[in-house]
């Protein structure tokens, strides 16, 4: 989205492995996090990190979360108002029931990313099942790091069957 000129906020809500700041190469820039914004200790414009990859891309780093539906709605509204973002991407492992309850009312699209390993595909299936059960819109699957030259991997049909999710796209492995 950001590459297409749409102001985008990535929010790290992965309670088990918060690492988007490292992925974007700004781990030393994260002074505040999503928990600080949700608790009202700091505004989102102070906590969000402008990312070097695009002038339209911002990150709200992960932190200790005590989220409710109203606090998540307030965070999203604040992001739109103060940062001018139109798209909010949430990175999360299979969210806890409390985080699911806080997020589900605001979610318009659910995308689950998996690689081609059986373990990752089973985790994607479990995540999709939990999100559907919680009322999320139809979760869809993106297969990531797919090596088209590797013959030992399962076929795309087998991967989709393993995950029990509608396929949205494939990201090839870039060596």
């Amino acid at each position: 989205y950001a590459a297409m000129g749409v102001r985008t906020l990535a929010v790290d809500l992965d309670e088990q492995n918060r690492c988007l700041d490292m992925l974007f190469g700004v781990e030393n820039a994260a002074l505040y996090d999503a928990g600080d914004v949700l608790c009202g200790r700091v505004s989102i414009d102070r906590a969000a990190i402008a990312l070097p990859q695009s002038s339209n891309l911002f990150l709200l780093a992960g932190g200790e979360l005590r989220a409710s539906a109203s606090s998540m709605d307030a965070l999203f509204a604040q992001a739109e108002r103060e940062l001018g973002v139109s798209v909010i991407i949430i990175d999360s492992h299979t969210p806890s029931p409390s985080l699911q309850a806080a997020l589900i009312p605001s979610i318009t699209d659910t995308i689950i990313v998996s690689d081609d390993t059986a373990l990752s595909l089973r985790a994607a299936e479990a995540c999709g099942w939990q999100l559907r059960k919680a009322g999320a819109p139809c979760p869809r699957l993106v297969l990531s790091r797919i090596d088209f030259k590797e013959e030992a991997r399962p076929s795309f049909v087998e991967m989709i069957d393993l995950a029990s999710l509608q396929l949205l796209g494939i990201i090839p492995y870039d060596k």
Side-chain angles (χ1 to χ4, degrees):
Y1 294 102
M4 296 184 299
V6 178
R7 290 179 67 85
T8 304
L9 174 66
V11 182
D12 193 346
L13 296 181
D14 190 333
E15 297 169 315
Q16 296 181 4
N17 188 20
R18 296 183 292 267
C19 63
L20 276 186
D21 56 340
M22 290 186 282
L23 180 69
F24 285 116
V26 294
E27 61 273 7
N28 294 328
L31 298 175
Y32 303 105
D33 58 40
D36 293 319
V37 175
L38 287 168
C39 292
R41 287 189 289 264
V42 67
S43 65
I44 199 165
D45 64 332
R46 289 199 57 209
I49 302 164
L51 296 173
Q53 290 83 352
S54 170
S55 61
N56 292 311
L57 185 59
F58 303 88
L59 169 67
L60 186 56
E64 187 173 335
L65 302 173
R66 293 191 190 345
S68 66
S70 61
S71 66
M72 291 307 296
D73 285 343
L75 182 136
F76 297 152
Q78 195 178 56
E80 288 178 44
R81 186 178 59 252
E82 296 181 24
L83 298 174
V85 299
S86 303
V87 173
I88 298 173
I89 297 172
I90 297 170
D91 175 41
S92 178
H93 191 266
T94 302
S96 66
S98 62
L99 186 54
Q100 283 180 25
L103 290 174
I104 296 299
S106 301
I107 291 177
T108 57
D109 225 346
T110 310
I111 299 170
I112 299 169
V113 180
S114 174
D115 63 22
D116 61 355
T117 63
L119 184 62
S120 184
L121 290 164
R122 288 292 183 209
E125 176 189 35
C127 182
W129 180 81
Q130 285 186 354
L131 289 170
R132 277 193 299 268
K133 183 178 163 191
C138 178
R140 294 175 291 163
L141 176 67
V142 170
L143 294 171
S144 180
R145 301 188 53 172
I146 303 301
D147 187 351
F148 289 96
K149 296 176 184 159
E150 187 177 311
E151 295 178 21
R153 68 165 169 69
S155 72
F156 295 118
V157 172
E158 290 170 321
M159 287 186 249
I160 294 166
D161 284 347
L162 277 170
S164 303
L165 296 165
Q166 179 184 4
L167 182 65
L168 177 64
I170 298 171
I171 302 170
Y173 180 62
D174 186 16
K175 293 182 183 183

